[in-house]
Amino acid sequence: MAICLPDTQDDSPEIPISLTRVGVTGVKKLIQLERKDKRPIILVPTFDAFVDLPNDQKGVHMSRSPEAISEVLESVTNDKSMEVEYICAEIVNTMMTKHEYAKRVEISMITDYMYMKESPVTKNKTQEMAKLIAKAVGIRKNGEIKIRKSVGIELIGMTVCPCAQESVKESNKTELLKFLDEETVQKVLDTVSFASHNQRGVGTLLIEVPEHKEVKGSDIIEIIEQSMSSPVCELLKRPDENATVLNAHSNPVFVEDCVRNMMERVAKKYVDFPDDTLITARQENQESIHRHNAYAEKVTTLGELKEELNIN
């Protein structure tokens, strides 16, 4: 004889206060995404899933969120056209059905993402690692559900401080003028690289993906790498190392510059996306001469961004 267990989540709470986000974090799953004529992509993402809770319900049905994640991942395993942001959108849609009381549902995932690149001079192929991010938010209003999805990358690069470099350059200029004429000194200054302190930069770019549009992870990686002083590479022989250092020191950037560079590249590449497309760019530079880090961020819509940059 089956025992009927009480469902206390549907009871009224003692304190009738609504909650913004209730759910589960740290749900790990394995995804194998099949690709036509290519090897499958194996991901082990971590999911966070949340719903809002009305003030007349004691608790959410917590198991329904990881259940929705499992059901969707099982159904999309062999779908060659499914991107990670669409997987998140499907999870949101399933959670909306399971959590019929929720007006807002949110899912996010992050996973290690391996991609191939070549070292700058010797062209050695190397496996590089980034963080692949996907998010989806569903809003239920007047019986209709609207889902907005985003995809992004977190990537390590290299930055060189412009301020310190200018200080070193000015000091060297003063020393050179002690035994060289001004014209020769200027030629030296225009030719050689000057020292500065370096930072390991962590760039993150998240782009909303409108319906019938595509945002490739490889394009986001390129935007982030080009927005710092130099990309970095897991395998560097001496010529590669030399080229990386010289390239970085010829392109010094502040943490603020990195975010602005990312935003400008996004505005130009995705100029045909809707104006309400949400863009998030952030940069954290891990300082080498300070105990603190430097941080910059911008969250905006594509329309606002194009207006700032005067792009039609």
Side-chain angles (χ1 to χ4, degrees):
M1 183 176 178
I3 300 175
C4 184
L5 300 175
D7 190 355
T8 57
Q9 286 93 338
D10 289 332
D11 292 347
S12 297
E14 293 181 11
I15 303 173
I17 295 177
S18 63
L19 301 180
T20 306
R21 297 201 305 168
V22 183
V24 295
T25 62
V27 179
K28 280 190 173 293
K29 294 291 180 181
L30 185 143
I31 303 177
Q32 178 171 310
L33 299 178
E34 299 294 332
R35 297 187 297 170
K36 186 177 181 180
D37 301 327
K38 293 183 179 181
R39 62 172 180 78
I41 297 176
I42 307 297
L43 302 173
V44 185
T46 299
F47 290 91
D48 296 338
F50 306 102
V51 302
D52 65 334
L53 188 66
N55 63 2
D56 60 353
Q57 183 158 324
K58 190 174 184 64
V60 303
H61 296 274
M62 199 72 72
S63 64
R64 295 180 184 178
S65 295
E67 181 182 52
I69 295 171
S70 296
E71 288 179 5
V72 171
L73 295 187
E74 184 67 27
S75 68
V76 303
T77 299
N78 296 314
D79 190 336
K80 295 180 174 62
S81 63
M82 188 66 74
E83 303 290 345
V84 288
E85 66 271 21
Y86 286 89
I87 292 175
C88 287
E90 283 298 312
I91 295 172
V92 165
N93 198 44
T94 303
M95 287 175 62
M96 278 290 192
T97 302
K98 293 180 179 293
H99 298 279
E100 68 282 353
Y101 46 83
K103 294 182 179 179
R104 186 183 188 278
V105 173
E106 176 186 335
I107 185 83
S108 64
M109 62 147 276
I110 185 168
T111 182
D112 288 333
Y113 177 71
M114 189 277 290
Y115 63 101
M116 299 298 297
K117 71 179 297 183
E118 292 181 341
S119 58
V121 178
T122 62
K123 303 303 179 183
N124 282 311
K125 290 186 177 180
T126 174
Q127 292 184 355
E128 301 294 327
M129 296 299 296
K131 295 288 185 183
L132 177 63
I133 306 164
K135 291 184 178 181
V137 175
I139 303 293
R140 193 197 315 265
K141 188 175 182 180
N142 299 325
E144 294 186 356
I145 297 173
K146 184 176 182 180
I147 299 176
R148 303 183 73 156
K149 54 194 177 298
S150 303
V151 66
I153 293 287
E154 178 188 296
L155 187 69
I156 291 174
M158 176 183 178
T159 58
V160 172
C161 177
C163 182
Q165 189 178 60
E166 281 300 313
S167 296
V168 171
K169 185 177 180 179
E170 192 61 31
S171 297
N172 287 335
K173 179 180 178 180
T174 301
E175 292 300 312
L176 289 169
L177 285 171
K178 291 179 180 178
F179 56 88
L180 294 174
D181 61 83
E182 286 195 16
E183 183 179 352
T184 303
V185 167
Q186 191 58 50
K187 288 180 180 179
V188 172
L189 297 179
D190 294 339
T191 303
V192 303
S193 297
F194 290 91
S196 181
H197 69 93
N198 309 144
Q199 301 124 334
R200 169 172 284 188
V202 182
T204 305
L205 180 59
L206 193 68
I207 303 174
E208 187 177 350
V209 185
E211 289 299 319
H212 311 300
K213 295 291 186 180
E214 182 183 26
V215 177
K216 294 181 180 179
S218 57
D219 291 335
I220 301 179
I221 287 172
E222 184 177 354
I223 288 172
I224 298 174
E225 284 189 331
Q226 291 179 350
S227 298
M228 298 191 223
S229 295
S230 175
V232 296
C233 195
E234 190 67 25
L235 176 61
L236 293 174
K237 305 301 284 184
R238 285 194 189 93
D240 302 310
E241 189 176 79
N242 178 67
T244 298
V245 172
L246 289 176
N247 179 55
H249 281 77
S250 66
N251 184 34
V253 289
F254 288 124
V255 67
E256 300 93 334
D257 295 323
C258 296
V259 171
R260 289 177 173 136
N261 290 341
M262 281 190 272
M263 281 293 182
E264 182 182 43
R265 287 181 167 88
V266 167
K268 291 180 178 179
K269 184 169 186 61
Y270 302 104
V271 67
D272 62 328
F273 277 26
D275 282 348
D276 66 344
T277 300
L278 189 64
I279 313 294
T280 301
R282 67 179 67 99
Q283 178 80 14
E284 183 170 13
N285 288 347
Q286 299 170 356
E287 293 281 10
S288 59
I289 63 170
H290 303 291
R291 299 189 190 278
H292 60 262
N293 292 337
Y295 183 89
E297 180 181 65
K298 184 173 178 67
V299 181
T300 187
T301 64
L302 187 60
E304 292 169 340
L305 184 58
K306 289 192 294 184
E307 186 177 347
E308 275 195 281
L309 294 171
N310 197 25
I311 296 176
N312 297 321

